[in-house]
Amino acid sequence: MNDETRNKATPALETVPSQSRKAAASTSEQASTVSNAAPAVGKAKLKRRHSAMVVSFVLIVLLPTLATGGYLYLRAHDRFVSHVAFSVRSESTSSAMEMLGGIAEISGSSSSDTDILYNFIKSEEMVRALDQRLDLRGMWARAGQNWWDMVDDPWYAYHPPGTIEDLTSYWGRMVMVFSDSGTGLIDVEAQAFTPKDAHALTQAIFEESSRMINRLSQIAREDKIRYARIELEASVERLKTARAALTKFRNDNQIVDPQSLIEGQVGLLSSLLQQQAQALIELDTLRQTTSAGDPRMNSAERRVDVIANRINEERKKLGLSGQTISGVAGETTNYANIVGDYESLAVDQQFAEQSYTAALTAFDTAQAEAARQSRYLAAHIRPSMPERSTAPDRGTLMAFIVLILSMVWVLLVLVGYALRDRR
C-alpha cells in the first residue's frame, strides 16, 4: 500500500474512536441524570392519625353498638302493647217534659271534654287510682315469662318502691295518650311485661276515665238541679205575693169580679138611657097636647129629672164624669180605677203563674236528666289483648343507634382533618 492510500485510510480509523467516545459520554450523562432523580415510592405505612381514626371508630361506634345490642338482646324485657280508643258522647234526645216547657236543648261533646280527659289520663290522680287498683309498682317491676327476663332490666323495668312522682314519670314512658280535639277521639297505648297486665291496664284506664266523666256530669246535674230549685222557690214566693195582693184587693173593695160588676153597671146605664129617651118623648107629647098647668106635665118633668139624676150617679160610679162618689162603706168609689187596679193585679198574678209553670217544668226536667247518664265514654276500639311482644323494636333501635353513632364519628373525623389542614 502506498503512502497516499495509507493517508486516506487514517482519518476514517480516527473517526470511529471519536464516535465511541461521544456515545460513552452520552451514556455517562444519562447515568448522572438517573442518579440525580428521586428514589422509587416505598410501601404505605400506618400513621398515627390512621390509628386514631380506628380507635375512635371502635370507641364511638363499635363499642356503644355492641353495648346497646347486648342490652337489647340480653337484658331488655319484652313488652306487650294494648290499645284502647274512645270518645266522649252526650245524649241529645229531648224529653217530653222539655218539649212541654219549651226549653229543650241539644247538647254534644266538645273539645273541652277531650282536653280534660287527656290531662286526666296523664295526671297523678289517675296513676294513684290505678296503683291502688292494679299495683302498678309490682306490675312494672316483675319480669316477663322468658328465661332471660329473670335478669333485671336496668332501663325499662320499674325499680320500686319510689315516690308517686317517680311512678308518674314512669307512667309517661309506659302509657302513651293521643287525642284529637277536632274529632274528640282519644287513643291510649299501654305497655306491660305480660299480655294480661297490658290488657288489664287499658281496661282500668277506660273505666277510670268513664268514672271521671260521670263524676263531672253528676256535678253539672247537681248544679242544674240546685239552680232550678232556687228559681222554683222564687217563683212560688212571687205567685204567693200576687195572689195575696189580689185577695186583699177583693176584700177591701167588697168585689169578687169587677168585670162582672162593670158589665152590670153598663147594662143598668143603658136601661136608664132608654127610659130617659121614653120619658123625654112623653114629655114632648104632653107639651104639644096639654096646657102648662096640666098635672101630667109636672109628673113627666119630675120623671125626666129623676132619670137624669140617676144616670149621672151611675156615670160617676163608672168614672165617666171625672168625679167620684161615696160608696156604701163611706169611701170614695170609682169603678174605672177599681177595674184598672184589678187588671194590674191580675196581670201580675198571671205572670207569676207562668213563671211558676216554667220553673216547675225546668225543675222536673233537671230531675229527669239526673236520672239518666247525659255524658258517657263510647269505645270504638275495645281494650285489646296482645298475643306477641312488639316492644322494644330491637332491629329498628339498633339501626338507629348505628346510624347516629356513625354520623357522629364521621363528623368528628371531618372536624379533625379540617383542624389538621389549617395548621
Side-chain angles (χ1 to χ4, degrees):
M1 181 179 298
N2 52 19
D3 296 336
E4 183 178 357
T5 303
R6 187 180 295 108
N7 294 335
K8 291 181 180 178
T10 302
L13 293 174
E14 294 177 351
T15 304
V16 173
S18 63
Q19 291 178 352
S20 299
R21 288 193 297 270
K22 291 181 180 179
S26 177
T27 302
S28 62
E29 290 178 358
Q30 291 178 357
S32 62
T33 303
V34 172
S35 62
N36 293 330
V41 178
K43 295 182 179 180
K45 296 181 180 180
L46 185 63
K47 296 185 178 182
R48 185 167 56 183
R49 64 175 180 273
H50 299 151
S51 301
M53 290 176 59
V54 173
V55 172
S56 63
F57 179 81
V58 172
L59 294 177
I60 297 177
V61 179
L62 186 59
L63 290 181
T65 300
L66 293 176
T68 303
Y71 168 74
L72 289 176
Y73 289 95
L74 299 178
R75 300 289 299 275
H77 297 336
D78 290 336
R79 302 194 307 278
F80 297 84
V81 182
S82 178
H83 299 265
V84 63
F86 48 85
S87 59
V88 182
R89 287 289 178 263
S90 301
E91 291 187 7
S92 59
T93 304
S94 300
S95 63
M97 187 65 68
E98 289 176 343
M99 292 185 290
L100 178 62
I103 56 174
E105 59 181 11
I106 298 177
S107 60
S109 61
S110 61
S111 60
S112 61
D113 294 333
T114 304
D115 296 336
I116 290 173
L117 197 57
Y118 173 81
N119 292 327
F120 174 73
I121 295 175
K122 299 176 69 68
S123 67
E124 182 179 311
E125 181 180 356
M126 170 67 86
V127 177
R128 191 184 300 275
L130 264 63
D131 184 37
Q132 296 176 356
R133 177 176 176 177
L134 300 177
D135 186 17
L136 295 179
R137 290 179 170 88
M139 174 190 297
W140 283 330
R142 60 175 173 263
Q145 300 175 348
N146 300 319
W147 64 268
W148 58 81
D149 288 331
M150 299 304 294
V151 182
D152 185 27
D153 188 342
W155 177 255
Y156 285 111
Y158 180 77
H159 302 283
T163 62
I164 187 62
E165 289 79 11
D166 297 334
L167 188 60
T168 303
S169 178
Y170 188 80
W171 171 275
R173 294 171 51 192
M174 301 295 284
V175 178
M176 306 300 296
V177 185
F178 309 94
S179 67
D180 187 352
S181 300
T183 59
L185 301 180
I186 297 178
D187 188 4
V188 179
E189 295 182 358
Q191 301 181 15
F193 299 115
T194 62
K196 293 183 179 179
D197 289 342
H199 177 266
L201 186 57
T202 53
Q203 184 68 34
I205 291 174
F206 178 77
E207 293 175 357
E208 289 296 329
S209 300
S210 180
R211 289 193 185 95
M212 191 274 293
I213 289 296
N214 292 336
R215 185 166 63 251
L216 293 179
S217 300
Q218 182 65 27
I219 294 174
R221 289 193 295 267
E222 291 177 356
D223 291 340
K224 190 172 184 179
I225 291 176
R226 184 174 69 255
Y227 295 145
R229 183 181 292 108
I230 294 174
E231 184 64 24
L232 179 60
E233 293 175 354
S235 63
V236 169
E237 293 298 327
R238 189 184 301 114
L239 181 59
K240 289 181 179 179
T241 302
R243 287 181 175 178
L246 189 60
T247 301
K248 184 177 182 301
F249 173 82
R250 289 171 175 171
N251 293 332
D252 293 342
N253 293 276
Q254 302 284 321
I255 298 174
V256 177
D257 188 0
Q259 188 66 32
S260 300
L261 180 60
I262 291 298
E263 291 177 357
Q265 289 296 122
V266 171
L268 178 60
L269 184 60
S270 299
S271 177
L272 290 175
L273 290 174
Q274 292 177 1
Q275 293 179 16
Q276 185 183 30
Q278 292 177 359
L280 291 173
I281 292 173
E282 292 177 358
L283 180 60
D284 292 338
T285 302
L286 289 175
R287 286 176 179 174
Q288 294 177 3
T289 58
T290 60
S291 60
D294 193 340
R296 290 179 298 176
M297 181 71 70
N298 295 331
S299 177
E301 290 176 352
R302 286 195 300 271
R303 186 171 184 272
V304 170
D305 292 339
V306 170
I307 293 175
N309 292 331
R310 178 49 52 191
I311 289 175
N312 290 332
E313 293 294 332
E314 295 301 327
R315 285 178 179 274
K316 291 178 181 179
K317 290 181 180 180
L318 293 175
L320 299 178
S321 63
Q323 300 177 356
T324 59
I325 63 174
S326 298
V328 178
E331 297 179 356
T332 301
T333 304
N334 189 315
Y335 288 120
N337 295 333
I338 291 175
V339 172
D341 296 339
Y342 177 80
E343 290 179 349
S344 177
L345 294 175
V347 169
D348 292 341
Q349 180 177 351
Q350 184 180 4
F351 177 76
E353 289 176 350
Q354 293 177 353
S355 299
Y356 171 76
T357 302
L360 182 60
T361 302
F363 181 74
D364 293 339
T365 300
Q367 287 185 325
E369 288 183 351
R372 67 175 185 266
Q373 188 180 18
S374 60
R375 287 191 297 180
Y376 58 93
L377 289 186
H380 54 276
I381 298 179
R382 303 295 300 177
S384 61
M385 175 67 77
E387 295 183 357
R388 66 180 181 87
S389 63
T390 56
D393 189 353
R394 294 177 173 85
T396 303
L397 290 176
M398 287 296 298
F400 180 76
I401 291 296
V402 170
L403 178 61
I404 295 298
L405 294 178
S406 299
M407 292 177 62
V408 171
W409 177 75
V410 170
L411 181 62
L412 292 177
V413 170
L414 293 177
V415 171
Y417 270 93
L419 296 176
R420 175 178 175 276
D421 292 339
R422 294 185 61 182
R423 294 178 181 176

